[in-house]
Amino acid sequence: MLEKAFDPFFTTKPIGHGTGLGLSMIYGFAHQVGGHVTLASTPGEGTTICLYMPRDQAAPAMVAETEVSPASAPPKGRGTVLVVEDELVVRMVVIDILEEHGYAVIEAETAAQALPHLSGQDSIDLLLTDVGLPGMNGRDLAAEARRLRPGLKVLFATGYAEGASQRSAFVGEGMDYIAKPFDLDELGQKVRALTEA
């Protein structure tokens, strides 16, 4: 089982309790930044997961000299993203990436937690929701969000390989989707495209 732990969709959770993408997302993130992950497990004793990230070898003085000038730095994102994701690890990675790109983030684990933000006074520029949420799914949440806030931009995150015809049935104007496990740069690009459209 250890050799499958980082495979997408390998999970021992019952249906509706996570997609089995958490470790796959962590593995992908580590490799994108030049790191790696190890996993050790002993029956009856537990499991240890180690995440290794590359350390910046530049001396502090060197860092100051090589800092990117504001003119050449990528533009920071503007606006607030409501992230609805039931897998804690995936939600944390997504939130970190969005905040790193300059977005304000409101987080919710379920549609039920997201709805008060959508029906309230919170400023929300984009709904980023997992499709396979327990209870009300992401598609139904998006429909309700659009009822409450007409024209709200929506980015669906899905771990399921749905056919193009199925995707076109629920991805309309002002919407897009990203497949999990996703590339972190692609996530940033899609969020920026929707929030700046």
Side-chain angles (χ1 to χ4, degrees), residues 23-50:
L23 284 177
S24 181
M25 290 287 295
I26 293 298
Y27 182 84
F29 170 72
H31 278 267
Q32 283 182 49
V33 299
H36 67 279
V37 183
T38 63
L39 177 69
S41 186
T42 305
E45 291 185 23
T47 301
T48 302
I49 300 172
C50 296

PDB file of all heavy atoms in Angstrom, residues 23-50:
ATOM      1  N   LEU A  23      -2.419  13.611  -0.474  1.00  0.00           N
ATOM      2  CA  LEU A  23      -1.001  13.255  -0.571  1.00  0.00           C
ATOM      3  C   LEU A  23      -0.470  13.469  -1.983  1.00  0.00           C
ATOM      4  O   LEU A  23       0.687  13.856  -2.168  1.00  0.00           O
ATOM      5  CB  LEU A  23      -0.769  11.811  -0.131  1.00  0.00           C
ATOM      6  CG  LEU A  23      -0.795  11.560   1.373  1.00  0.00           C
ATOM      7  CD1 LEU A  23      -0.624  10.073   1.669  1.00  0.00           C
ATOM      8  CD2 LEU A  23       0.280  12.359   2.083  1.00  0.00           C
ATOM      9  N   SER A  24      -1.309  13.243  -2.971  1.00  0.00           N
ATOM     10  CA  SER A  24      -0.892  13.473  -4.349  1.00  0.00           C
ATOM     11  C   SER A  24      -0.595  14.950  -4.585  1.00  0.00           C
ATOM     12  O   SER A  24       0.379  15.303  -5.253  1.00  0.00           O
ATOM     13  CB  SER A  24      -1.992  12.998  -5.308  1.00  0.00           C
ATOM     14  OG  SER A  24      -1.607  13.197  -6.640  1.00  0.00           O
ATOM     15  N   MET A  25      -1.422  15.826  -4.019  1.00  0.00           N
ATOM     16  CA  MET A  25      -1.186  17.271  -4.146  1.00  0.00           C
ATOM     17  C   MET A  25       0.120  17.661  -3.457  1.00  0.00           C
ATOM     18  O   MET A  25       0.900  18.448  -3.998  1.00  0.00           O
ATOM     19  CB  MET A  25      -2.353  18.053  -3.523  1.00  0.00           C
ATOM     20  CG  MET A  25      -3.645  17.960  -4.293  1.00  0.00           C
ATOM     21  SD  MET A  25      -3.647  18.886  -5.824  1.00  0.00           S
ATOM     22  CE  MET A  25      -3.503  20.550  -5.215  1.00  0.00           C
ATOM     23  N   ILE A  26       0.359  17.129  -2.262  1.00  0.00           N
ATOM     24  CA  ILE A  26       1.588  17.442  -1.529  1.00  0.00           C
ATOM     25  C   ILE A  26       2.800  16.957  -2.309  1.00  0.00           C
ATOM     26  O   ILE A  26       3.807  17.657  -2.445  1.00  0.00           O
ATOM     27  CB  ILE A  26       1.556  16.812  -0.126  1.00  0.00           C
ATOM     28  CG1 ILE A  26       0.470  17.473   0.724  1.00  0.00           C
ATOM     29  CG2 ILE A  26       2.905  16.907   0.554  1.00  0.00           C
ATOM     30  CD1 ILE A  26       0.673  18.954   0.953  1.00  0.00           C
ATOM     31  N   TYR A  27       2.724  15.747  -2.841  1.00  0.00           N
ATOM     32  CA  TYR A  27       3.813  15.170  -3.628  1.00  0.00           C
ATOM     33  C   TYR A  27       4.112  16.054  -4.846  1.00  0.00           C
ATOM     34  O   TYR A  27       5.265  16.391  -5.125  1.00  0.00           O
ATOM     35  CB  TYR A  27       3.420  13.762  -4.064  1.00  0.00           C
ATOM     36  CG  TYR A  27       4.478  13.032  -4.856  1.00  0.00           C
ATOM     37  CD1 TYR A  27       5.508  12.358  -4.213  1.00  0.00           C
ATOM     38  CD2 TYR A  27       4.433  13.008  -6.247  1.00  0.00           C
ATOM     39  CE1 TYR A  27       6.479  11.683  -4.941  1.00  0.00           C
ATOM     40  CE2 TYR A  27       5.395  12.341  -6.987  1.00  0.00           C
ATOM     41  CZ  TYR A  27       6.409  11.670  -6.316  1.00  0.00           C
ATOM     42  OH  TYR A  27       7.369  11.011  -7.037  1.00  0.00           O
ATOM     43  N   GLY A  28       3.050  16.465  -5.544  1.00  0.00           N
ATOM     44  CA  GLY A  28       3.220  17.303  -6.722  1.00  0.00           C
ATOM     45  C   GLY A  28       3.808  18.662  -6.376  1.00  0.00           C
ATOM     46  O   GLY A  28       4.700  19.166  -7.062  1.00  0.00           O
ATOM     47  N   PHE A  29       3.344  19.255  -5.278  1.00  0.00           N
ATOM     48  CA  PHE A  29       3.863  20.555  -4.849  1.00  0.00           C
ATOM     49  C   PHE A  29       5.345  20.449  -4.509  1.00  0.00           C
ATOM     50  O   PHE A  29       6.149  21.282  -4.934  1.00  0.00           O
ATOM     51  CB  PHE A  29       3.078  21.051  -3.632  1.00  0.00           C
ATOM     52  CG  PHE A  29       3.689  22.258  -2.973  1.00  0.00           C
ATOM     53  CD1 PHE A  29       3.623  23.496  -3.588  1.00  0.00           C
ATOM     54  CD2 PHE A  29       4.326  22.156  -1.750  1.00  0.00           C
ATOM     55  CE1 PHE A  29       4.189  24.619  -2.992  1.00  0.00           C
ATOM     56  CE2 PHE A  29       4.895  23.262  -1.150  1.00  0.00           C
ATOM     57  CZ  PHE A  29       4.819  24.498  -1.771  1.00  0.00           C
ATOM     58  N   ALA A  30       5.726  19.421  -3.766  1.00  0.00           N
ATOM     59  CA  ALA A  30       7.131  19.248  -3.389  1.00  0.00           C
ATOM     60  C   ALA A  30       8.017  19.132  -4.623  1.00  0.00           C
ATOM     61  O   ALA A  30       9.075  19.761  -4.703  1.00  0.00           O
ATOM     62  CB  ALA A  30       7.295  18.020  -2.497  1.00  0.00           C
ATOM     63  N   HIS A  31       7.586  18.351  -5.604  1.00  0.00           N
ATOM     64  CA  HIS A  31       8.394  18.163  -6.808  1.00  0.00           C
ATOM     65  C   HIS A  31       8.468  19.428  -7.656  1.00  0.00           C
ATOM     66  O   HIS A  31       9.498  19.693  -8.274  1.00  0.00           O
ATOM     67  CB  HIS A  31       7.882  16.977  -7.620  1.00  0.00           C
ATOM     68  CG  HIS A  31       8.398  15.676  -7.092  1.00  0.00           C
ATOM     69  ND1 HIS A  31       9.539  15.086  -7.564  1.00  0.00           N
ATOM     70  CD2 HIS A  31       7.953  14.878  -6.083  1.00  0.00           C
ATOM     71  CE1 HIS A  31       9.771  13.969  -6.880  1.00  0.00           C
ATOM     72  NE2 HIS A  31       8.813  13.832  -5.971  1.00  0.00           N
ATOM     73  N   GLN A  32       7.385  20.222  -7.664  1.00  0.00           N
ATOM     74  CA  GLN A  32       7.401  21.462  -8.445  1.00  0.00           C
ATOM     75  C   GLN A  32       8.430  22.458  -7.926  1.00  0.00           C
ATOM     76  O   GLN A  32       8.961  23.253  -8.680  1.00  0.00           O
ATOM     77  CB  GLN A  32       6.016  22.118  -8.432  1.00  0.00           C
ATOM     78  CG  GLN A  32       5.032  21.436  -9.358  1.00  0.00           C
ATOM     79  CD  GLN A  32       3.699  22.143  -9.360  1.00  0.00           C
ATOM     80  OE1 GLN A  32       3.634  23.362  -9.505  1.00  0.00           O
ATOM     81  NE2 GLN A  32       2.621  21.391  -9.190  1.00  0.00           N
ATOM     82  N   VAL A  33       8.721  22.408  -6.625  1.00  0.00           N
ATOM     83  CA  VAL A  33       9.692  23.352  -6.056  1.00  0.00           C
ATOM     84  C   VAL A  33      11.059  22.710  -5.852  1.00  0.00           C
ATOM     85  O   VAL A  33      11.936  23.287  -5.221  1.00  0.00           O
ATOM     86  CB  VAL A  33       9.174  23.980  -4.738  1.00  0.00           C
ATOM     87  CG1 VAL A  33       7.903  24.761  -4.985  1.00  0.00           C
ATOM     88  CG2 VAL A  33       8.970  22.927  -3.662  1.00  0.00           C
ATOM     89  N   GLY A  34      11.251  21.489  -6.375  1.00  0.00           N
ATOM     90  CA  GLY A  34      12.551  20.832  -6.290  1.00  0.00           C
ATOM     91  C   GLY A  34      12.775  20.033  -5.021  1.00  0.00           C
ATOM     92  O   GLY A  34      13.913  19.685  -4.697  1.00  0.00           O
ATOM     93  N   GLY A  35      11.719  19.709  -4.301  1.00  0.00           N
ATOM     94  CA  GLY A  35      11.837  18.916  -3.077  1.00  0.00           C
ATOM     95  C   GLY A  35      11.375  17.490  -3.290  1.00  0.00           C
ATOM     96  O   GLY A  35      11.172  17.057  -4.421  1.00  0.00           O
ATOM     97  N   HIS A  36      11.188  16.764  -2.192  1.00  0.00           N
ATOM     98  CA  HIS A  36      10.648  15.417  -2.283  1.00  0.00           C
ATOM     99  C   HIS A  36       9.976  15.026  -0.971  1.00  0.00           C
ATOM    100  O   HIS A  36      10.087  15.738   0.035  1.00  0.00           O
ATOM    101  CB  HIS A  36      11.721  14.399  -2.692  1.00  0.00           C
ATOM    102  CG  HIS A  36      12.800  14.192  -1.674  1.00  0.00           C
ATOM    103  ND1 HIS A  36      13.859  15.050  -1.532  1.00  0.00           N
ATOM    104  CD2 HIS A  36      12.976  13.214  -0.743  1.00  0.00           C
ATOM    105  CE1 HIS A  36      14.655  14.614  -0.562  1.00  0.00           C
ATOM    106  NE2 HIS A  36      14.137  13.517  -0.060  1.00  0.00           N
ATOM    107  N   VAL A  37       9.279  13.914  -1.000  1.00  0.00           N
ATOM    108  CA  VAL A  37       8.512  13.437   0.148  1.00  0.00           C
ATOM    109  C   VAL A  37       8.875  11.982   0.399  1.00  0.00           C
ATOM    110  O   VAL A  37       9.036  11.204  -0.544  1.00  0.00           O
ATOM    111  CB  VAL A  37       6.988  13.527  -0.129  1.00  0.00           C
ATOM    112  CG1 VAL A  37       6.185  13.096   1.086  1.00  0.00           C
ATOM    113  CG2 VAL A  37       6.599  14.927  -0.558  1.00  0.00           C
ATOM    114  N   THR A  38       9.018  11.614   1.672  1.00  0.00           N
ATOM    115  CA  THR A  38       9.219  10.206   2.022  1.00  0.00           C
ATOM    116  C   THR A  38       8.095   9.769   2.952  1.00  0.00           C
ATOM    117  O   THR A  38       7.500  10.575   3.653  1.00  0.00           O
ATOM    118  CB  THR A  38      10.581   9.967   2.716  1.00  0.00           C
ATOM    119  OG1 THR A  38      10.614  10.689   3.948  1.00  0.00           O
ATOM    120  CG2 THR A  38      11.733  10.379   1.815  1.00  0.00           C
ATOM    121  N   LEU A  39       7.849   8.477   2.929  1.00  0.00           N
ATOM    122  CA  LEU A  39       6.759   7.904   3.711  1.00  0.00           C
ATOM    123  C   LEU A  39       7.241   6.619   4.364  1.00  0.00           C
ATOM    124  O   LEU A  39       7.829   5.766   3.701  1.00  0.00           O
ATOM    125  CB  LEU A  39       5.573   7.612   2.780  1.00  0.00           C
ATOM    126  CG  LEU A  39       4.329   6.951   3.357  1.00  0.00           C
ATOM    127  CD1 LEU A  39       3.605   7.915   4.282  1.00  0.00           C
ATOM    128  CD2 LEU A  39       3.399   6.545   2.229  1.00  0.00           C
ATOM    129  N   ALA A  40       7.035   6.502   5.670  1.00  0.00           N
ATOM    130  CA  ALA A  40       7.387   5.274   6.395  1.00  0.00           C
ATOM    131  C   ALA A  40       6.209   4.901   7.277  1.00  0.00           C
ATOM    132  O   ALA A  40       5.611   5.757   7.924  1.00  0.00           O
ATOM    133  CB  ALA A  40       8.637   5.491   7.236  1.00  0.00           C
ATOM    134  N   SER A  41       5.866   3.621   7.296  1.00  0.00           N
ATOM    135  CA  SER A  41       4.720   3.188   8.082  1.00  0.00           C
ATOM    136  C   SER A  41       5.004   1.842   8.727  1.00  0.00           C
ATOM    137  O   SER A  41       5.523   0.932   8.080  1.00  0.00           O
ATOM    138  CB  SER A  41       3.480   3.088   7.184  1.00  0.00           C
ATOM    139  OG  SER A  41       2.336   2.797   7.956  1.00  0.00           O
ATOM    140  N   THR A  42       4.676   1.735  10.001  1.00  0.00           N
ATOM    141  CA  THR A  42       4.820   0.488  10.746  1.00  0.00           C
ATOM    142  C   THR A  42       3.467   0.118  11.321  1.00  0.00           C
ATOM    143  O   THR A  42       2.895   0.901  12.102  1.00  0.00           O
ATOM    144  CB  THR A  42       5.853   0.640  11.888  1.00  0.00           C
ATOM    145  OG1 THR A  42       7.075   1.113  11.334  1.00  0.00           O
ATOM    146  CG2 THR A  42       6.069  -0.687  12.603  1.00  0.00           C
ATOM    147  N   PRO A  43       2.918  -1.062  10.943  1.00  0.00           N
ATOM    148  CA  PRO A  43       1.608  -1.463  11.465  1.00  0.00           C
ATOM    149  C   PRO A  43       1.577  -1.423  12.994  1.00  0.00           C
ATOM    150  O   PRO A  43       2.505  -1.883  13.658  1.00  0.00           O
ATOM    151  CB  PRO A  43       1.439  -2.890  10.944  1.00  0.00           C
ATOM    152  CG  PRO A  43       2.281  -2.927   9.699  1.00  0.00           C
ATOM    153  CD  PRO A  43       3.463  -2.047  10.007  1.00  0.00           C
ATOM    154  N   GLY A  44       0.545  -0.811  13.519  1.00  0.00           N
ATOM    155  CA  GLY A  44       0.373  -0.731  14.964  1.00  0.00           C
ATOM    156  C   GLY A  44       1.130   0.405  15.620  1.00  0.00           C
ATOM    157  O   GLY A  44       0.922   0.697  16.795  1.00  0.00           O
ATOM    158  N   GLU A  45       2.030   1.045  14.882  1.00  0.00           N
ATOM    159  CA  GLU A  45       2.822   2.137  15.463  1.00  0.00           C
ATOM    160  C   GLU A  45       2.539   3.492  14.829  1.00  0.00           C
ATOM    161  O   GLU A  45       2.671   4.521  15.469  1.00  0.00           O
ATOM    162  CB  GLU A  45       4.318   1.827  15.353  1.00  0.00           C
ATOM    163  CG  GLU A  45       4.741   0.666  16.249  1.00  0.00           C
ATOM    164  CD  GLU A  45       6.244   0.453  16.218  1.00  0.00           C
ATOM    165  OE1 GLU A  45       6.973   1.400  15.885  1.00  0.00           O
ATOM    166  OE2 GLU A  45       6.666  -0.671  16.527  1.00  0.00           O
ATOM    167  N   GLY A  46       2.192   3.517  13.549  1.00  0.00           N
ATOM    168  CA  GLY A  46       1.871   4.788  12.913  1.00  0.00           C
ATOM    169  C   GLY A  46       2.631   5.016  11.627  1.00  0.00           C
ATOM    170  O   GLY A  46       3.396   4.168  11.171  1.00  0.00           O
ATOM    171  N   THR A  47       2.416   6.190  11.074  1.00  0.00           N
ATOM    172  CA  THR A  47       2.997   6.569   9.791  1.00  0.00           C
ATOM    173  C   THR A  47       3.706   7.909   9.931  1.00  0.00           C
ATOM    174  O   THR A  47       3.212   8.807  10.610  1.00  0.00           O
ATOM    175  CB  THR A  47       1.890   6.684   8.722  1.00  0.00           C
ATOM    176  OG1 THR A  47       1.219   5.425   8.620  1.00  0.00           O
ATOM    177  CG2 THR A  47       2.457   7.063   7.368  1.00  0.00           C
ATOM    178  N   THR A  48       4.868   8.003   9.301  1.00  0.00           N
ATOM    179  CA  THR A  48       5.620   9.252   9.287  1.00  0.00           C
ATOM    180  C   THR A  48       5.796   9.703   7.837  1.00  0.00           C
ATOM    181  O   THR A  48       6.246   8.930   6.994  1.00  0.00           O
ATOM    182  CB  THR A  48       7.011   9.071   9.925  1.00  0.00           C
ATOM    183  OG1 THR A  48       6.843   8.606  11.271  1.00  0.00           O
ATOM    184  CG2 THR A  48       7.784  10.384   9.923  1.00  0.00           C
ATOM    185  N   ILE A  49       5.417  10.946   7.576  1.00  0.00           N
ATOM    186  CA  ILE A  49       5.600  11.538   6.254  1.00  0.00           C
ATOM    187  C   ILE A  49       6.559  12.713   6.428  1.00  0.00           C
ATOM    188  O   ILE A  49       6.329  13.598   7.252  1.00  0.00           O
ATOM    189  CB  ILE A  49       4.272  12.026   5.664  1.00  0.00           C
ATOM    190  CG1 ILE A  49       3.296  10.855   5.531  1.00  0.00           C
ATOM    191  CG2 ILE A  49       4.490  12.696   4.313  1.00  0.00           C
ATOM    192  CD1 ILE A  49       1.905  11.242   5.134  1.00  0.00           C
ATOM    193  N   CYS A  50       7.644  12.716   5.666  1.00  0.00           N
ATOM    194  CA  CYS A  50       8.623  13.798   5.725  1.00  0.00           C
ATOM    195  C   CYS A  50       8.602  14.565   4.415  1.00  0.00           C
ATOM    196  O   CYS A  50       8.684  13.970   3.341  1.00  0.00           O
ATOM    197  CB  CYS A  50      10.029  13.248   5.979  1.00  0.00           C
ATOM    198  SG  CYS A  50      10.179  12.441   7.586  1.00  0.00           S
TER     199      CYS A  50
END
